[in-house]
């Protein structure tokens, strides 16, 4: 399940198509290192993709975001989840 910070980043990306670490920092009101950690975790989990590097790094939605082979009804949380 997404945490609230990840959900905010995804919502921003749906509206603006792209986000930087600095924008993430402002959006979430977190430190530079926390913003970077959140974005890296989202890249590692396949939610977003990193474009560029160094000072020009930005992040975009992956095209296949939220595509699932399961019907919506089966997405209910059951038992142990994070």
């Amino acid at each position: 399940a997404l945490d609230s910070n990840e959900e905010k980043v995804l919502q921003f990306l749906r509206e603006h198509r792209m986000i930087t670490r600095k924008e993430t920092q402002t959006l979430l009101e977190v430190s530079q290192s926390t913003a970077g950690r959140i974005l890296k975790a989202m890249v590692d989990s396949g939610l977003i993709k990193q474009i560029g590097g160094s000072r020009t790094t930005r992040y975009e939605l992956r095209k296949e975001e939220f595509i699932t082979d399961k019907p919506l009804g089966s997405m209910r949380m059951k038992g142990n989840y994070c």
Side-chain angles (χ1 to χ4, degrees):
L2 298 177
D3 71 26
S4 63
N5 284 337
E6 291 173 336
E7 191 53 58
K8 287 177 189 172
V9 170
L10 290 177
Q11 186 59 44
F12 182 96
L13 284 168
R14 288 184 196 107
E15 295 170 13
H16 300 93
R17 299 184 53 110
M18 199 175 297
I19 196 168
T20 64
R21 194 243 343 116
K22 189 161 184 61
E23 288 169 330
T24 303
Q25 190 178 339
T26 302
L27 177 71
L28 304 179
E29 300 176 340
V30 295
S31 69
Q32 177 178 330
S33 59
T34 298
R37 201 163 39 248
I38 290 166
L39 290 167
K40 182 181 184 323
M42 292 179 74
V43 169
D44 291 348
S45 65
L47 288 170
I48 61 176
K49 61 183 175 181
Q50 180 178 327
I51 310 295
S54 189
R55 297 181 65 82
T56 64
T57 305
R58 56 201 191 283
Y59 301 86
E60 297 178 348
L61 286 175
R62 284 187 141 341
K63 296 292 182 245
E64 62 272 15
E65 183 214 10
F66 297 127
I67 291 177
T68 177
D69 56 356
K70 297 177 183 172
L72 289 177
S74 67
M75 293 177 67
R76 288 195 189 92
M77 294 184 211
K78 300 176 195 156
N80 298 329
Y81 57 88
C82 299

